[in-house]
Amino acid sequence: MKNGRIIRVSGPLIEACEMKGARMFDVVKVGEEHLLGEIIGLDRDKASIQVYEETEGIGVGEPVYLTGEPLSVTLGPGLIESIYDGIQRPLKIIQEEVGDFITRGVSANALDPEKKWEFIPEKKKGDRISGGDILGRVKETVLVEHRVMVPPGVEGVLKEIKKGKYTIKDTIAVIKSKNGKEEKIQMEQRWPVRKPRPIKRRLPPTEPLFTGQRIIDTFFPIARGGTACIPGPFGSGKTVMQHQLAKWTEAEIVVYIGCGERGNEMTDVLNEFPRLKDPKSGEPLMKRIVLLANTSNMPVAAREASIYTGITIAEYFRDMGYSIALMADSTSRWAEALREISGRLEEMPGEEGYPAYLGSNVAQFYERAGKVECIGEPDREGAISVIGAVSPPGGDLSDPVVQNTLRVVKVFWSLKAELAYARHFPAIDWLTSYSLYLDNIRDYFDREIAEDFIKLEQEAMRLLEEEAELQEMVRLVGIDAISSKERRILLVSRMLREDYLHQNAMHEIDTYTSMKKQYLMLKNIINFYHEAEEIDADIKSLENLDILTDIARMKYVEEEKKEKLVELYEAISKAISGVTAKREEEQ
Amino acid sequence: MKVEYKAVSDIAGPLLFVEGVSGVKYGELCSIILPDGEVRTGKVLEVHQDKAMIQVFEGTRGIDIPESTIVFHGKTIELPLSPDILGRVFDGLGKTIDGKPPILPDKRADINGSPINPYAREYPDEFIQTGISTIDGLNPLVRGQKLPFFSGSGLPHNRLAAQVARQARVLGTEEEFSVVFAAMGITFEEAEFFHSDFERTGALERVVMFLNLANDPTIERLSTPRAALTAAEYLAFDLEMHVLVILTDMTNYCEALREISAARKEVPGRRGYPGYLYTDLASVYERAGRIKNRKGSITLMPVLSMPEDDKTHPIPDLTGYITEGQIIFSRSLERKGVSPPIDVLPSLSRLKDKGIGEGKTREDHADLYNQLYAVYSKGKEAAELAVILGEAALTDIDKIYLKFVDAFEEEYVSQGEYENRSIEETLELGWKLLSMLPKRELKRVRDEFIDKYYSRYRKEASGEGGDLKNPIASDRLEKKETKKKER
């Protein structure tokens, strides 16, 4: 191991000289304490290094050791249910080793090297194999079957394959390559985080990724393999939204990155997810989750890396043929880490002090999402859907991070402070949000949900838009000055807002709504509107109908009892026909 | 090994540059000895080959280039700690300033601390009763939370902070909080207000004060909250106490940070604040919390005055992104005579959900606050409408909402500085106010709670002509009347 010498220390940035042989983005160990760092700039024999740990106490003249390897993650069985920091150090092991506070220079294995996994081969001796082929299976958790793959780039004939209990470091197969060299394969593999894993080809996203959140699934759906962003000021419920998505999204595996956010929120995730049951299997949700926690007070450079660590882990599972949802909360903190490092490097700043390459870095990250055909045998498709929270200063959407993100993502869930103040959650603004996947996934809705679903959705959206205009008018001329047709629109759109879009994440039933139930709920509300419209129903009588209470309580109807909603459809028609009768009597 | 250098090369604002040094570590502490023997404290902000940049806490006035001597200590700023710190007063660097002998330390701790491993944290879920309805009922505080006050100059945030320090209890226990109080750039009078309040209530022996007043060195403000939190960590995690930390005023702290950043000629972020303001604030705020298998806790209550009452100013904005909610003060409520003038709608406690409900406060708590928020917000909209169109143009139901707003601000938000409401009282008050509205409007509450709580008041209310004639309320109104007369 060659080494250099420190000549400058400024916060997380260190400069070292005598660094011949160093390569960009290689990992180095800094100082006597061997703090982990990464080379982010080279100038002759001088290297700029961002250090992933607190640098206090480091001085000029201390050594820097080259490792010759880029920042990489360890991949293999044992990832699921783990909680890592931004550079894949397991926080649980760190706590066991150094106690409740994270001190410097701790290192720990990302995956347990002692644990034995039952490996069941799927290939046999003599098979021709190449990178990406599935060699065999390991039952990682009740919910996840880990498919052990041939590392990309390896090719040859299988000379030996073992069955039975092995650790991730044991050889499970031996491959004889063309040039006669033998290569031993372990369950563990390493991959540099800043390099996307190879794929066969990319596919257009055509299926929706359901989340159980009504406003998202019905109005602004995200596709499997799509990208979405949630910008919003603080207190508008970004994090709750991310938690909800992590809990209920129909993905097989969830990678959750807490990037520069609150420590207590990560603890909440850690407490909550093992307790919550997966709606499909009834098993704890934690059994399909990988967590990365680099809270705001942890070193800033590791925060920058956490996004890449997370997406590399997601890509690894995608290559097995899984659908992965990746949540990053919040990408603004990641961008700020970039800005801080850039400032220390004395680079020319772009907008708001962010480096000029912010846009390309954001785009590169989101482009690692997508639905793909994986390399290797058997043929399989995998997908990564990325949902990034953005925390713009003051909720101002002209912030460079928001703007650069909007340029690449296809779904925009805009959180609005006013809605949050009125405790309308999720505080997604239905007038400004959008989803560009609607066209791609329309067929799916017609086929799998109901033929009239898209029609209902469009009608509901039209009502909501008309409401916004009418409200302006009411503000000017008063409620009595508008026609009863318009007042019916106000009544129904209020129903849509309060009884459909509003969804309580803390309520045991309301927290998740299946597509079938969403359809029935929406159909009932629109039916109410149509029936009332047809007979030109009197607004006062409509407002006093008892059935309104039943409509308001649709969301609390349990999934198993959703047939009740079908009955309600009839009841609504009946109740409204009662209204006309009343009106005629009056006349 | 201590080496003395007489090699100051230049001085710029609070920064001092030394040349020809070797072995200097980033972040280490040093003493600057002036020709007249005065000793000041500095911290190394950057080392570059044989040069070191030093931030002088007490300011650079009087330091000269040829004669001043620098001694590097090879360690970072440490705070001496022992149980005797309770009841004592320190400066921003942790030196005693109350005229009593210095602390004989049981241990010394680096004031920068280390980040708590997120895995080791215990989720805060023990409800703290502050006796203030707008906090307990609508934005419940829990042990280990960080809940800032976003206020403006001239608003009574200090009084409220003192009231919380006085009244805070964990429900069902009589155990009191120890208080660590850090003053940054506030006036002597403000600091004295806290001191005399603690003294009068006999709380002084469980209070540790760190004072950096308006006329004290600005740069010392950067270490004040860190020293305070180091003391808090010691009390909470070594001595197993429950600690409430009050940091006032964080705006001054951020300004000191900006001053250093400008002196270092760094690329500024928004409004001249450095790009790392978020990370820096996080390293202060995130030290609050609870740790698994340790008894104590740190509850943090930073106070900051928003320049021009602007919530999107970088200081409140970044604070809001780190803390678990915020209590916002409103100038218009203050003018209306509502005291404490807490603006309920934008205020928020993020950790409320796990700290309330059956077994903690009461089963109906969550539904109730959701409903109160929704109704108040709708009422506010109606009030806006009434301003434009006149009250007569409102629908009947909107008129009720409008009435609700007034009643809510007058009875629920307003409360005396020495009035300590139990959580039961706060909840009942909420239901009583909701009973102004017909049942159909209450969509956020479960049926069972409507039956159990709402119907009690609704019956009474309709029996007495739909107005608010409830013993608690009318009692309070009377008190208010008499108060007015007294004035």
Side-chain angles (χ1 to χ4, degrees), chain A residues 120-152:
Chain A
I120 304 159
E122 288 198 340
K123 295 274 181 191
K124 53 184 194 303
K125 198 178 157 181
D127 282 352
R128 277 207 78 79
I129 54 163
S130 62
D133 285 359
I134 290 171
L135 274 181
R137 286 171 285 134
V138 162
K139 193 86 190 148
E140 188 170 350
T141 70
V142 215
L143 294 178
V144 178
E145 180 197 78
H146 197 104
R147 296 164 191 158
V148 179
M149 296 172 290
V150 179

Side-chain angles (χ1 to χ4, degrees), chain A residues 7-9 11 56-58 91 100 102 235 260 262 264 268 333 352 392-394 421-423 476 479 553, chain B residues 25-26 46-47 49 112 115 117 270 278 294 311 317 320-324 347 350 354 373 389 395 447:
Chain A
I7 52 169
R8 177 178 169 222
V9 186
E56 213 147 89
I58 303 280
L91 291 171
D100 298 334
I102 302 177
R262 306 175 180 91
N264 281 331
D268 189 26
R333 304 298 160 234
E352 298 264 357
Y421 296 164
R423 296 305 185 262
L476 291 174
I479 188 84
R553 302 204 174 269
Chain B
K25 313 280 186 205
Y26 170 73
E46 188 174 326
V47 284
Q49 286 171 333
N112 290 307
N117 187 332
R270 276 203 303 156
Y278 177 84
R294 298 207 196 193
K311 200 174 64 140
D317 190 53
Y321 277 122
I322 306 164
T323 54
E324 284 125 0
S347 295
R350 291 167 185 272
K354 304 251 161 54
Y373 264 114
L389 297 167
T395 57
D447 292 334

Side-chain angles (χ1 to χ4, degrees), chain A residues 460-473:
Chain A
M461 189 42 83
R462 183 182 59 86
L463 287 169
L464 287 168
E465 265 161 33
E466 279 182 33
E467 182 199 32
E469 286 168 27
L470 286 173
Q471 271 174 342
E472 290 272 296
M473 199 143 80

Side-chain angles (χ1 to χ4, degrees), chain A residues 84-86 91 230-243 256-269 291-300 302-304 306-307 327-337 387-393 401 415, chain B residues 115-119 121 146 278-279 281-288 317-325 350-351:
Chain A
Y84 296 117
D85 75 353
L91 291 171
I230 324 179
F234 63 81
S236 58
K238 275 186 303 296
T239 300
V240 175
M241 197 71 232
Q242 288 278 36
H243 287 192
Y256 191 97
I257 310 171
C259 176
E261 289 286 307
R262 306 175 180 91
N264 281 331
E265 271 167 7
M266 287 319 296
T267 314
D268 189 26
V269 170
L291 281 175
L292 269 85
N294 210 83
T295 55
S296 53
N297 54 340
M298 283 156 76
V300 66
R303 194 197 296 167
E304 194 268 333
S306 65
I307 291 271
M327 326 281 163
D329 186 13
S330 131
T331 54
S332 290
R333 304 298 160 234
W334 165 73
E336 275 166 18
I387 299 161
V390 192
S391 325
V401 186
L415 296 176
Chain B
I116 305 179
N117 187 332
Y119 193 83
R121 278 183 190 267
K146 35 196 184 294
Y278 177 84
T279 308
L281 283 174
S283 70
V284 173
Y285 296 143
E286 276 289 338
R287 290 172 79 173
D317 190 53
L318 294 178
T319 300
Y321 277 122
I322 306 164
T323 54
E324 284 125 0
R350 291 167 185 272
L351 302 184

Side-chain angles (χ1 to χ4, degrees), chain A residues 30-243:
Chain A
V30 174
E32 311 291 359
E33 287 175 273
H34 287 236
L35 309 181
L36 218 51
E38 191 181 8
I39 297 177
I40 53 168
L42 286 170
D43 174 14
R44 289 167 210 266
D45 74 333
K46 222 165 69 190
S48 303
I49 298 158
Q50 64 172 352
V51 183
Y52 294 122
E53 294 178 72
E54 182 57 53
T55 51
E56 213 147 89
I58 303 280
V60 169
E62 286 190 51
V64 174
Y65 304 96
L66 292 166
T67 64
E69 196 201 35
L71 186 64
S72 304
V73 284
T74 308
L75 303 164
L79 284 169
I80 303 284
E81 284 186 275
S82 290
I83 165 161
Y84 296 117
D85 75 353
I87 45 173
Q88 215 202 3
R89 294 187 300 181
L91 291 171
K92 193 180 164 189
I93 313 288
I94 290 182
Q95 190 207 5
E96 284 162 12
E97 278 184 10
V98 297
D100 298 334
F101 294 88
I102 302 177
T103 46
R104 286 195 312 189
V106 199
S107 65
N109 288 309
L111 298 174
D112 187 348
E114 308 288 327
K115 184 165 177 177
K116 290 200 165 169
W117 302 90
E118 179 79 44
F119 176 74
I120 304 159
E122 288 198 340
K123 295 274 181 191
K124 53 184 194 303
K125 198 178 157 181
D127 282 352
R128 277 207 78 79
I129 54 163
S130 62
D133 285 359
I134 290 171
L135 274 181
R137 286 171 285 134
V138 162
K139 193 86 190 148
E140 188 170 350
T141 70
V142 215
L143 294 178
V144 178
E145 180 197 78
H146 197 104
R147 296 164 191 158
V148 179
M149 296 172 290
V150 179
V154 176
E155 214 180 329
V157 178
L158 204 54
K159 200 183 156 218
E160 189 189 349
I161 187 158
K162 297 176 182 169
K163 179 179 186 305
K165 287 191 162 228
Y166 297 100
T167 69
I168 49 167
K169 301 243 184 231
D170 292 338
T171 302
I172 48 150
V174 180
I175 292 168
K176 198 168 182 183
S177 64
K178 263 186 209 147
N179 54 21
K181 245 174 61 188
E182 282 187 5
E183 193 149 355
K184 288 176 181 160
I185 307 272
Q186 293 89 23
M187 280 192 259
E188 172 196 72
Q189 37 176 294
R190 293 188 48 89
W191 191 263
V193 297
R194 296 186 198 272
K195 183 175 165 195
R197 285 173 65 89
I199 50 166
K200 215 178 266 173
R201 69 192 176 97
R202 285 188 67 161
L203 303 167
T206 49
E207 277 168 61
L209 178 74
F210 291 127
T211 62
Q213 310 303 304
R214 290 189 292 266
I215 183 162
I216 293 178
D217 292 351
T218 306
F219 295 101
F220 311 109
I222 175 173
R224 205 175 280 275
T227 50
C229 86
I230 324 179
F234 63 81
S236 58
K238 275 186 303 296
T239 300
V240 175
M241 197 71 232
Q242 288 278 36
H243 287 192

Side-chain angles (χ1 to χ4, degrees), chain A residues 384-586:
Chain A
I384 301 177
S385 317
V386 175
I387 299 161
V390 192
S391 325
D396 174 13
L397 296 185
S398 67
D399 167 64
V401 186
V402 178
Q403 286 306 317
N404 282 308
T405 307
L406 286 182
R407 233 172 274 156
V408 285
V409 301
K410 295 267 172 58
V411 180
F412 172 53
W413 296 317
S414 162
L415 296 176
K416 213 172 151 194
E418 285 75 24
L419 289 173
Y421 296 164
R423 296 305 185 262
H424 176 104
F425 285 116
I428 298 178
D429 183 358
W430 50 91
L431 295 176
T432 52
S433 301
Y434 60 77
S435 165
L436 301 179
Y437 289 117
L438 278 174
D439 289 335
N440 299 25
I441 56 182
R442 188 177 300 257
D443 290 343
Y444 184 93
F445 274 101
D446 290 349
R447 204 171 59 232
E448 304 287 330
I449 311 299
E451 275 182 9
D452 55 343
F453 187 81
I454 297 277
K455 232 179 78 199
L456 289 173
E457 180 262 320
Q458 284 169 343
E459 173 126 40
M461 189 42 83
R462 183 182 59 86
L463 287 169
L464 287 168
E465 265 161 33
E466 279 182 33
E467 182 199 32
E469 286 168 27
L470 286 173
Q471 271 174 342
E472 290 272 296
M473 199 143 80
V474 169
R475 210 155 284 161
L476 291 174
V477 298
I479 188 84
D480 291 326
I482 63 171
S483 71
S484 94
K485 183 181 165 64
E486 287 165 337
R487 288 191 66 172
R488 276 197 300 271
I489 292 179
L490 285 182
L491 178 72
V492 176
S493 47
R494 179 173 166 194
M495 215 180 262
L496 279 169
R497 274 192 288 117
E498 293 182 1
D499 307 336
Y500 193 78
L501 297 182
H502 178 265
Q503 189 166 359
N504 186 349
M506 302 298 154
H507 191 285
E508 56 278 6
I509 297 167
D510 199 20
T511 182
Y512 171 84
T513 311
S514 68
M515 270 328 275
K516 181 79 188 151
K517 189 179 157 193
Q518 294 190 23
Y519 167 65
L520 292 173
M521 286 173 73
L522 193 61
K523 199 172 165 183
N524 284 347
I525 296 177
I526 300 296
N527 180 44
F528 179 94
Y529 176 65
H530 284 166
E531 293 280 354
E533 201 59 5
E534 193 152 308
I535 56 165
D536 191 15
D538 173 52
I539 184 73
K540 284 263 154 53
S541 333
L542 278 183
E543 273 171 356
N544 289 321
L545 281 178
D546 286 334
I547 200 101
L548 294 187
T549 323
D550 294 324
I551 293 178
R553 302 204 174 269
M554 285 196 296
K555 50 171 106 159
Y556 305 125
V557 172
E558 287 149 353
E559 287 289 339
E560 301 82 53
K561 295 180 187 159
K562 52 179 175 269
E563 291 313 308
K564 271 190 177 172
L565 298 175
V566 182
E567 291 162 29
L568 185 63
Y569 186 88
E570 300 303 324
I572 290 170
S573 303
K574 208 171 141 210
I576 294 187
S577 60
V579 173
T580 9
K582 234 183 249 165
R583 222 158 77 97
E584 276 155 11
E585 269 164 39
E586 278 164 20

